[in-house]
Amino acid sequence: MWTGVFPAVTTKFTADDRLDHAEMERCFGLQMEAGCDGIIVCGSLGEGPMLSPDEKIEVLKTAQKVAGRKPVLMTVNEAGTREAASIARRAAKEGANGLMVVPSPIYHTNPEETVAALRAVAEAGDLPVMIYSNRLAYRVDVTVDQMEELASDRRFVAIKESSDDIRRSTEIINRLGDRYDLFTGVDNLAFEALSVGAIGWVAGLVTAFPRETVAIYQLMKQGRREEAFAIYRWFRPLLDLDVSTYLVQNIKLAEVLAIDTNDRVRMPRQPLSGERRKAVEKIVRDALAVRPKLPSFESTSRPAEQMVAAE
């Protein structure tokens, strides 16, 4: 079972646009030191669609080196199912613990196509799969009906719920119980989702603020709701940066200010500039100026063993 905080990590680049493995090791290490429970690589925040298949595997290996026994998931977000199946097979060969699968971000599949594509990728990789449902960003809604249809395949183990409708979390639990590990994928709905039954958080701002993210999750898990809410209210202006067309640039700039890294992105993206950069810098600096002292808590996370897909 997957639970806890899984950072959707950013991909670091050198000044000449190559992968910066040394800086990724440092940044991924901060996530592990803070108590995160796994790593997800090459997602939207990780600029996966801008990476070659070989680069994706390289990022996966770097994350595995840092994560140790904690699970590392490869995001599958290719436009075509053939290509998605190929990277799923490669990730499995390289020892990925699972896949986070996005329906084609280019072609907006209908329900039958969505289910068929997800099944094809799961069969190709033969790994545990987290279904990424994000109808706003990708214009494909993996509905509760489709989740129920896929439930007969035990390789589908988790849902990253990013519909932006908190009611969906309850609908999933009411229909399917604990069949899937339910993760929230919207940073500024995390407290609400954890309140209604989500057991995990695929987080974005965690890359800049790992300890605060882990504290919210652990405090909620321990029933210390008011303490978690106090941190969450402070965090909200930062978490809102995740819900933006510029989420990659926003969060990489937050990383610059919070963990002293760079905000290089891969074109066509460019780092924030002008008034937009000033606005994001102000949000981050204002938050850093009143950064809360975190209460003490004992992590209830357990070491995660590598999962093996059911036959």
Side-chain angles (χ1 to χ4, degrees):
M1 184 172 66
W2 289 333
T3 65
V5 176
F6 280 45
V9 291
T10 58
T11 301
K12 291 301 177 185
F13 302 105
T14 63
D16 59 352
D17 199 35
R18 293 178 293 109
L19 295 178
D20 189 342
H21 290 285
E23 185 61 2
M24 281 189 279
E25 283 189 32
R26 186 184 76 84
C27 293
F28 298 173
L30 295 175
Q31 305 299 301
M32 296 297 97
E33 290 168 13
C36 292
D37 300 280
I39 295 177
I40 300 178
V41 299
C42 305
S44 302
L45 183 56
E47 299 174 77
M50 311 303 173
L51 304 176
S52 71
D54 288 345
E55 286 178 318
K56 289 185 176 186
I57 296 301
E58 289 181 41
V59 174
L60 172 69
K61 290 180 177 179
T62 296
Q64 290 171 322
K65 180 179 178 182
V66 176
R69 297 179 68 190
K70 292 183 178 180
V72 179
L73 280 59
M74 168 67 83
T75 305
V76 177
N77 50 14
E78 278 62 28
T81 302
R82 180 185 62 177
E83 292 75 19
S86 176
I87 196 66
R89 281 190 290 268
R90 289 189 66 181
K93 183 178 179 181
E94 296 298 338
N97 301 95
L99 308 170
M100 184 172 76
V101 183
V102 182
S104 172
I106 302 300
Y107 175 68
H108 305 146
T109 51
N110 66 33
E112 292 77 17
E113 291 169 331
T114 301
V115 169
L118 289 169
R119 287 192 190 280
V121 174
E123 182 177 353
D126 197 27
L127 289 171
V129 172
M130 178 183 290
I131 301 167
Y132 184 8
S133 177
N134 188 333
R135 62 189 180 189
L136 295 183
Y138 303 115
R139 302 184 190 180
V140 173
D141 188 6
V142 184
T143 65
V144 181
D145 286 343
Q146 292 169 51
M147 295 173 194
E148 186 171 30
E149 185 175 352
L150 291 166
S152 60
D153 187 334
R154 302 307 297 182
R155 287 173 289 212
F156 293 104
V157 301
I159 305 293
K160 179 184 176 183
E161 210 302 285
S162 299
S163 69
D164 204 39
D165 182 352
I166 194 61
R167 292 171 294 190
R168 175 67 66 85
S169 295
T170 298
E171 290 165 5
I172 293 170
I173 294 169
N174 282 351
R175 178 85 68 89
L176 297 164
D178 62 358
R179 166 61 186 82
Y180 292 104
D181 299 335
L182 180 60
F183 281 65
T184 180
V186 181
D187 267 2
N188 62 4
L189 277 177
F191 181 87
E192 293 82 353
L194 293 169
S195 296
V196 298
I199 63 171
W201 180 359
V202 178
L205 267 297
V206 65
T207 64
F209 295 92
R211 296 191 182 280
E212 288 83 357
T213 307
V214 170
I216 290 170
Y217 176 81
Q218 289 293 341
L219 290 168
M220 288 294 287
K221 189 172 182 179
Q222 295 171 26
R224 297 162 64 179
R225 179 187 175 91
E226 293 304 317
E227 292 171 277
F229 188 49
I231 302 168
Y232 184 68
R233 290 186 68 180
W234 163 84
F235 213 173
R236 261 299 305 273
L238 293 163
L239 297 176
D240 290 346
L241 298 174
D242 180 57
V243 187
S244 166
T245 303
Y246 298 95
L247 82 158
V248 175
Q249 295 97 316
N250 288 346
I251 293 175
K252 282 194 166 182
L253 180 53
E255 289 179 321
V256 168
L257 300 171
I259 63 170
D260 193 26
T261 185
N262 66 74
D263 63 343
R264 299 185 189 110
V265 289
R266 180 159 281 179
M267 292 180 69
R269 286 188 177 92
Q270 295 185 6
L272 297 182
S273 60
E275 292 303 314
R276 189 181 300 277
R277 188 178 187 91
K278 290 179 183 177
V280 173
E281 281 188 349
K282 184 177 188 307
I283 291 169
V284 179
R285 292 188 190 281
D286 286 352
L288 287 170
V290 292
R291 196 170 192 170
K293 181 179 179 181
L294 300 180
S296 61
F297 59 86
E298 182 178 349
S299 174
T300 56
S301 299
R302 57 176 175 80
E305 300 290 339
Q306 179 168 337
M307 296 184 64
V308 179
E311 294 295 327

